[in-house]
Amino acid sequence: MDKIENAVLDVLKKVNEHRGLYERNEEAVKQHLIGEIFQALGWEWDNPREVRPEERTEEGRADYALILDDRVVAFVEAKNLSVNVLKKDKPLRQLGRYCFNHGVKYGILTNGVAWVVIKAFEEGSRLEDRIILSVDIENEPLERVTLKLSLLSKGKIDKLERFATLLRALELSFDELKKEGISERKLIEFLTASKKRLLTLDKIRGDEFPRALYVYDDGWKMVPLIERSIKGVLLSLLLYLSEKSEGEEKAQIKKAYAYLKEIPIDTEKILRLLREIEKEKGIRIGIEL
Protein backbone atom coordinates (compact mmCIF):
# COMPACT_ATOMS: atom_id res chain seq x y z
CA MET A 1 0.00 0.00 0.00
CA ASP A 2 2.98 2.33 0.56
CA LYS A 3 3.59 2.59 -3.20
CA ILE A 4 0.01 3.70 -3.79
CA GLU A 5 0.17 6.17 -0.92
CA ASN A 6 3.40 7.69 -2.22
CA ALA A 7 1.97 7.94 -5.75
CA VAL A 8 -1.15 9.70 -4.44
CA LEU A 9 0.96 12.17 -2.47
CA ASP A 10 3.12 12.82 -5.56
CA VAL A 11 0.00 13.45 -7.67
CA LEU A 12 -1.35 15.90 -5.10
CA LYS A 13 1.99 17.74 -5.04
CA LYS A 14 2.08 18.01 -8.83
CA VAL A 15 -1.51 19.24 -8.99
CA ASN A 16 -0.91 21.83 -6.27
CA GLU A 17 2.14 23.16 -8.10
CA HIS A 18 0.94 22.91 -11.73
CA ARG A 19 -2.86 22.93 -11.64
CA GLY A 20 -3.11 25.26 -14.64
CA LEU A 21 -1.09 22.84 -16.79
CA TYR A 22 -3.29 19.87 -15.90
CA GLU A 23 -6.52 21.84 -16.39
CA ARG A 24 -5.68 22.51 -20.04
CA ASN A 25 -3.34 19.68 -21.03
CA GLU A 26 -4.81 16.17 -21.14
CA GLU A 27 -1.53 14.64 -22.28
CA ALA A 28 0.21 15.97 -19.17
CA VAL A 29 -2.53 14.41 -17.04
CA LYS A 30 -1.93 11.05 -18.75
CA GLN A 31 1.85 11.14 -18.45
CA HIS A 32 2.32 12.75 -15.05
CA LEU A 33 -0.72 11.70 -13.02
CA ILE A 34 -2.60 8.70 -14.41
CA GLY A 35 0.54 6.80 -15.40
CA GLU A 36 2.08 7.26 -11.96
CA ILE A 37 -1.01 5.90 -10.20
CA PHE A 38 -1.30 2.86 -12.46
CA GLN A 39 2.38 2.03 -12.10
CA ALA A 40 1.98 2.13 -8.31
CA LEU A 41 -0.95 -0.26 -8.78
CA GLY A 42 1.40 -2.78 -10.39
CA TRP A 43 0.69 -2.14 -14.07
CA GLU A 44 3.73 -2.06 -16.36
CA TRP A 45 2.80 1.18 -18.10
CA ASP A 46 5.28 0.74 -20.97
CA ASN A 47 4.51 -2.94 -21.56
CA PRO A 48 2.06 -3.43 -24.47
CA ARG A 49 1.15 -6.85 -23.05
CA GLU A 50 -0.46 -5.03 -20.13
CA VAL A 51 -1.28 -1.49 -21.27
CA ARG A 52 -2.18 -0.42 -24.81
CA PRO A 53 -2.75 3.27 -25.58
CA GLU A 54 -5.29 4.49 -28.14
CA GLU A 55 -7.18 1.20 -28.32
CA ARG A 56 -9.57 1.21 -31.27
CA THR A 57 -13.26 0.38 -30.71
CA GLU A 58 -16.32 0.62 -32.94
CA GLU A 59 -17.25 3.91 -31.20
CA GLY A 60 -13.79 5.49 -31.31
CA ARG A 61 -10.51 5.14 -29.46
CA ALA A 62 -10.20 4.44 -25.77
CA ASP A 63 -7.18 6.18 -24.25
CA TYR A 64 -5.90 2.94 -22.71
CA ALA A 65 -6.77 -0.73 -22.53
CA LEU A 66 -5.68 -2.70 -19.46
CA ILE A 67 -4.85 -6.31 -20.33
CA LEU A 68 -4.66 -9.44 -18.19
CA ASP A 69 -4.00 -12.91 -19.60
CA ASP A 70 -4.31 -11.59 -23.18
CA ARG A 71 -7.78 -10.11 -22.62
CA VAL A 72 -8.87 -6.52 -22.09
CA VAL A 73 -10.26 -6.17 -18.56
CA ALA A 74 -10.85 -2.41 -18.59
CA PHE A 75 -10.80 0.66 -20.80
CA VAL A 76 -9.41 3.88 -19.33
CA GLU A 77 -10.61 7.25 -20.55
CA ALA A 78 -8.57 10.31 -19.54
CA LYS A 79 -9.73 13.92 -19.27
CA ASN A 80 -7.94 17.08 -18.25
CA LEU A 81 -8.38 18.39 -14.72
CA SER A 82 -10.98 20.98 -15.72
CA VAL A 83 -13.47 18.18 -16.49
CA ASN A 84 -15.45 17.15 -13.39
CA VAL A 85 -15.65 13.43 -14.10
CA LEU A 86 -17.65 12.84 -10.89
CA LYS A 87 -20.56 14.92 -12.20
CA LYS A 88 -20.29 15.04 -15.99
CA ASP A 89 -22.00 11.99 -17.49
CA LYS A 90 -21.28 12.54 -21.20
CA PRO A 91 -17.70 11.12 -21.09
CA LEU A 92 -18.98 8.33 -18.84
CA ARG A 93 -21.63 7.37 -21.40
CA GLN A 94 -19.01 7.41 -24.16
CA LEU A 95 -16.79 5.13 -22.08
CA GLY A 96 -19.75 2.84 -21.42
CA ARG A 97 -20.31 2.47 -25.18
CA TYR A 98 -16.63 1.65 -25.74
CA CYS A 99 -16.87 -1.11 -23.12
CA PHE A 100 -20.23 -2.51 -24.19
CA ASN A 101 -19.40 -2.69 -27.89
CA HIS A 102 -16.06 -4.34 -27.23
CA GLY A 103 -17.26 -6.75 -24.50
CA VAL A 104 -15.05 -5.16 -21.84
CA LYS A 105 -16.34 -5.47 -18.29
CA TYR A 106 -15.04 -2.27 -16.67
CA GLY A 107 -14.56 1.35 -17.69
CA ILE A 108 -12.37 3.79 -15.75
CA LEU A 109 -12.85 7.53 -16.25
CA THR A 110 -10.32 9.85 -14.61
CA ASN A 111 -8.81 13.32 -14.71
CA GLY A 112 -5.89 12.11 -12.62
CA VAL A 113 -7.47 13.27 -9.36
CA ALA A 114 -11.08 12.06 -9.55
CA TRP A 115 -11.74 8.47 -10.63
CA VAL A 116 -15.02 6.79 -11.59
CA VAL A 117 -15.35 3.08 -12.40
CA ILE A 118 -18.39 1.63 -14.16
CA LYS A 119 -19.57 -1.83 -15.01
CA ALA A 120 -20.17 -1.94 -18.76
CA PHE A 121 -23.57 -3.62 -18.73
CA GLU A 122 -26.24 -4.86 -16.37
CA GLU A 123 -29.73 -5.62 -17.58
CA GLY A 124 -32.38 -3.16 -16.44
CA SER A 125 -29.90 -0.71 -14.91
CA ARG A 126 -29.15 2.93 -15.63
CA LEU A 127 -25.62 4.26 -16.11
CA GLU A 128 -25.54 5.79 -12.62
CA ASP A 129 -26.57 2.43 -11.15
CA ARG A 130 -23.52 0.82 -12.74
CA ILE A 131 -20.99 3.08 -11.01
CA ILE A 132 -19.20 0.64 -8.72
CA LEU A 133 -16.41 2.85 -7.41
CA SER A 134 -15.54 6.54 -7.18
CA VAL A 135 -12.44 8.14 -5.72
CA ASP A 136 -11.65 11.81 -5.05
CA ILE A 137 -7.97 12.14 -4.25
CA GLU A 138 -8.21 15.80 -3.26
CA ASN A 139 -11.20 15.56 -0.93
CA GLU A 140 -11.13 12.11 0.67
CA PRO A 141 -8.86 10.89 3.49
CA LEU A 142 -5.64 9.32 2.24
CA GLU A 143 -6.47 5.95 3.84
CA ARG A 144 -9.77 5.70 1.96
CA VAL A 145 -8.21 6.83 -1.32
CA THR A 146 -5.38 4.29 -1.21
CA LEU A 147 -7.66 1.40 -0.27
CA LYS A 148 -10.18 2.17 -3.03
CA LEU A 149 -7.51 2.73 -5.67
CA SER A 150 -5.89 -0.57 -4.69
CA LEU A 151 -8.96 -2.34 -6.11
CA LEU A 152 -7.74 -1.25 -9.57
CA SER A 153 -4.39 -2.98 -9.05
CA LYS A 154 -3.26 -5.70 -11.40
CA GLY A 155 -3.79 -8.27 -8.67
CA LYS A 156 -7.33 -7.19 -7.71
CA ILE A 157 -9.03 -5.79 -10.80
CA ASP A 158 -10.39 -9.20 -11.84
CA LYS A 159 -12.45 -9.18 -8.62
CA LEU A 160 -13.08 -5.43 -8.61
CA GLU A 161 -16.88 -5.63 -8.44
CA ARG A 162 -16.86 -8.09 -5.54
CA PHE A 163 -14.28 -6.09 -3.58
CA ALA A 164 -16.14 -2.82 -4.21
CA THR A 165 -19.45 -4.36 -3.10
CA LEU A 166 -17.92 -5.74 0.11
CA LEU A 167 -16.23 -2.43 0.86
CA ARG A 168 -19.47 -0.52 0.36
CA ALA A 169 -21.36 -2.99 2.57
CA LEU A 170 -18.72 -2.57 5.29
CA GLU A 171 -18.97 1.21 5.03
CA LEU A 172 -22.78 1.20 5.27
CA SER A 173 -22.81 -1.26 8.18
CA PHE A 174 -20.16 0.75 10.01
CA ASP A 175 -22.18 3.98 9.63
CA GLU A 176 -25.44 2.32 10.70
CA LEU A 177 -23.84 0.78 13.78
CA LYS A 178 -22.40 4.17 14.76
CA LYS A 179 -25.89 5.69 14.43
CA GLU A 180 -27.12 3.00 16.83
CA GLY A 181 -24.66 4.25 19.44
CA ILE A 182 -21.72 1.88 19.10
CA SER A 183 -18.48 3.84 19.29
CA GLU A 184 -16.08 3.97 16.37
CA ARG A 185 -13.29 2.71 18.64
CA LYS A 186 -15.28 -0.38 19.61
CA LEU A 187 -16.16 -1.11 15.99
CA ILE A 188 -12.53 -0.82 14.90
CA GLU A 189 -11.47 -3.11 17.76
CA PHE A 190 -14.11 -5.61 16.67
CA LEU A 191 -13.01 -5.54 13.03
CA THR A 192 -9.29 -5.78 13.75
CA ALA A 193 -9.45 -8.34 16.55
CA SER A 194 -7.66 -11.61 15.92
CA LYS A 195 -9.70 -14.81 15.96
CA LYS A 196 -7.34 -16.03 18.66
CA ARG A 197 -8.08 -15.20 22.30
CA LEU A 198 -5.99 -12.06 22.57
CA LEU A 199 -5.75 -9.46 25.28
CA THR A 200 -4.73 -6.06 23.95
CA LEU A 201 -2.34 -3.96 26.02
CA ASP A 202 -5.08 -1.82 27.57
CA LYS A 203 -6.61 -5.01 29.08
CA ILE A 204 -3.38 -6.62 30.30
CA ARG A 205 -2.97 -6.54 34.12
CA GLY A 206 0.54 -7.97 34.30
CA ASP A 207 -0.17 -11.22 36.15
CA GLU A 208 -1.06 -13.17 32.99
CA PHE A 209 0.80 -16.25 31.75
CA PRO A 210 1.08 -15.46 28.02
CA ARG A 211 1.52 -18.12 25.36
CA ALA A 212 2.53 -15.74 22.53
CA LEU A 213 3.01 -12.10 21.70
CA TYR A 214 1.05 -10.52 18.85
CA VAL A 215 1.86 -7.21 17.18
CA TYR A 216 -0.69 -5.41 15.00
CA ASP A 217 1.39 -3.83 12.26
CA ASP A 218 -0.65 -4.01 9.04
CA GLY A 219 -2.33 -7.11 10.47
CA TRP A 220 -1.79 -9.23 13.62
CA LYS A 221 1.61 -10.95 13.54
CA MET A 222 2.65 -13.64 16.01
CA VAL A 223 6.01 -13.11 17.74
CA PRO A 224 7.49 -16.09 19.67
CA LEU A 225 8.08 -15.42 23.36
CA ILE A 226 11.51 -15.66 24.95
CA GLU A 227 9.82 -16.55 28.22
CA ARG A 228 6.17 -16.87 29.27
CA SER A 229 5.97 -13.71 31.35
CA ILE A 230 5.19 -10.01 30.91
CA LYS A 231 8.92 -9.34 30.90
CA GLY A 232 9.21 -11.94 28.14
CA VAL A 233 6.61 -9.94 26.19
CA LEU A 234 8.74 -6.78 26.46
CA LEU A 235 11.98 -8.55 25.50
CA SER A 236 10.38 -10.38 22.58
CA LEU A 237 8.88 -7.10 21.33
CA LEU A 238 12.29 -5.42 21.44
CA LEU A 239 13.80 -8.26 19.39
CA TYR A 240 10.95 -7.94 16.86
CA LEU A 241 11.49 -4.18 16.57
CA SER A 242 15.26 -4.56 16.23
CA GLU A 243 14.78 -6.91 13.26
CA LYS A 244 12.63 -4.26 11.56
CA SER A 245 15.08 -1.44 12.28
CA GLU A 246 18.38 -0.30 10.80
CA GLY A 247 21.46 1.67 11.75
CA GLU A 248 21.51 3.66 14.99
CA GLU A 249 17.92 2.79 15.88
CA LYS A 250 18.68 -0.94 15.63
CA ALA A 251 21.77 -0.52 17.82
CA GLN A 252 19.81 1.40 20.49
CA ILE A 253 17.04 -1.22 20.63
CA LYS A 254 19.58 -4.04 20.98
CA LYS A 255 21.34 -2.11 23.74
CA ALA A 256 18.02 -1.65 25.59
CA TYR A 257 17.27 -5.35 25.16
CA ALA A 258 20.63 -6.43 26.58
CA TYR A 259 20.25 -4.09 29.57
CA LEU A 260 16.64 -4.97 30.42
CA LYS A 261 17.30 -8.70 30.06
CA GLU A 262 19.79 -8.65 32.93
CA ILE A 263 17.85 -6.61 35.49
CA PRO A 264 14.65 -7.22 37.48
CA ILE A 265 11.78 -4.96 36.34
CA ASP A 266 8.51 -4.49 38.15
CA THR A 267 5.29 -5.15 36.27
CA GLU A 268 4.05 -1.54 36.28
CA LYS A 269 7.27 -0.33 34.64
CA ILE A 270 7.03 -3.05 31.97
CA LEU A 271 3.44 -2.08 31.15
CA ARG A 272 4.44 1.59 31.02
CA LEU A 273 7.30 0.79 28.62
CA LEU A 274 4.97 -1.28 26.44
CA ARG A 275 2.46 1.60 26.25
CA GLU A 276 5.24 4.03 25.30
CA ILE A 277 6.43 1.68 22.54
CA GLU A 278 2.88 1.30 21.22
CA LYS A 279 2.47 5.06 21.00
CA GLU A 280 5.92 5.79 19.54
CA LYS A 281 5.86 3.01 16.91
CA GLY A 282 2.18 3.30 16.00
CA ILE A 283 1.53 -0.39 16.62
CA ARG A 284 -0.79 -2.43 18.83
CA ILE A 285 0.32 -5.13 21.23
CA GLY A 286 -1.63 -8.19 22.33
CA ILE A 287 -0.93 -11.45 24.13
CA GLU A 288 -2.46 -14.87 23.59
CA LEU A 289 -3.47 -16.66 26.78
Side-chain angles (χ1 to χ4, degrees):
M1 199 71 80
D2 286 348
K3 284 185 178 180
I4 306 173
E5 185 175 301
N6 289 335
V8 168
L9 292 174
D10 282 347
V11 163
L12 285 171
K13 184 174 186 292
K14 290 172 185 175
V15 169
N16 287 335
E17 293 176 355
H18 307 286
R19 181 175 291 273
L21 168 67
Y22 299 122
E23 286 181 344
R24 65 178 184 271
N25 191 323
E26 185 180 300
E27 195 59 35
V29 170
K30 291 179 186 177
Q31 296 297 324
H32 300 170
L33 309 183
I34 297 172
E36 177 156 4
I37 294 290
F38 272 114
Q39 287 181 86
L41 292 170
W43 295 94
E44 294 182 32
W45 204 240
D46 297 324
N47 183 352
R49 291 173 181 253
E50 292 191 7
V51 182
R52 289 202 298 255
E54 296 295 312
E55 183 77 350
R56 185 186 295 276
T57 75
E58 290 82 352
E59 291 285 334
R61 291 179 184 271
D63 288 318
Y64 300 101
L66 302 182
I67 302 160
L68 273 182
D69 301 324
D70 297 321
R71 61 187 175 85
V72 178
V73 291
F75 281 142
V76 181
E77 188 70 7
K79 298 296 176 185
N80 65 47
L81 196 55
S82 67
V83 178
N84 187 339
V85 300
L86 295 173
K87 291 185 177 179
K88 212 164 185 180
D89 68 353
K90 185 177 178 181
L92 206 57
R93 292 187 184 283
Q94 180 187 42
L95 177 60
R97 289 194 297 272
Y98 288 168
C99 294
F100 178 74
N101 291 331
H102 216 270
V104 173
K105 190 172 184 179
Y106 301 122
I108 303 167
L109 176 66
T110 178
N111 60 13
V113 168
W115 297 66
V116 182
V117 184
I118 60 168
K119 186 179 178 181
F121 179 76
E122 191 172 83
E123 190 174 358
S125 67
R126 300 168 300 172
L127 178 67
E128 52 267 35
D129 297 329
R130 301 201 307 274
I131 295 174
I132 56 178
L133 188 70
S134 63
V135 185
D136 187 346
I137 287 176
E138 286 192 297
N139 296 303
E140 290 186 74
L142 183 61
E143 296 84 357
R144 293 172 64 91
V145 165
T146 52
L147 178 56
K148 290 198 286 185
L149 283 176
S150 74
L151 305 186
L152 304 179
S153 68
K154 191 166 65 173
K156 289 189 175 75
I157 198 167
D158 245 356
K159 297 180 180 177
L160 168 60
E161 188 177 2
R162 180 171 183 270
F163 283 137
T165 300
L166 290 171
L167 193 60
R168 181 63 178 153
L170 174 63
E171 187 177 37
L172 289 171
S173 300
F174 196 86
D175 289 343
E176 287 301 314
L177 288 165
K178 282 174 63 180
K179 287 177 185 176
E180 293 297 327
I182 301 176
S183 73
E184 186 170 312
R185 181 178 66 83
K186 285 292 183 185
L187 289 170
I188 291 172
E189 285 179 356
F190 176 82
L191 290 171
T192 57
S194 167
K195 291 182 179 178
K196 294 183 179 293
R197 187 172 60 165
L198 294 187
L199 281 183
T200 49
L201 183 56
D202 57 318
K203 297 180 178 68
I204 295 173
R205 297 178 306 181
D207 58 354
E208 293 84 1
F209 194 52
R211 296 174 58 188
L213 163 66
Y214 279 79
V215 178
Y216 191 89
D217 183 9
D218 246 354
W220 284 109
K221 300 171 184 175
M222 195 272 281
V223 179
L225 281 178
I226 292 173
E227 59 181 68
R228 295 186 65 179
S229 66
I230 294 302
K231 182 176 180 180
V233 168
L234 175 61
L235 295 175
S236 301
L237 179 63
L238 290 173
L239 280 181
Y240 169 80
L241 293 173
S242 72
E243 289 173 2
K244 290 172 62 68
S245 304
E246 297 178 350
E248 182 61 27
E249 183 183 17
K250 188 182 188 81
Q252 288 179 355
I253 294 173
K254 283 189 170 182
K255 186 177 179 180
Y257 169 83
Y259 172 72
L260 294 171
K261 185 179 180 182
E262 300 302 323
I263 64 168
I265 322 173
D266 68 71
T267 300
E268 280 305 312
K269 184 173 182 180
I270 292 172
L271 292 175
R272 188 166 64 250
L273 286 170
L274 289 171
R275 286 192 289 269
E276 289 172 0
I277 292 171
E278 257 196 347
K279 185 176 180 181
E280 181 184 339
K281 299 297 182 182
I283 58 175
R284 292 177 66 199
I285 298 165
I287 59 171
E288 181 183 0
L289 300 180

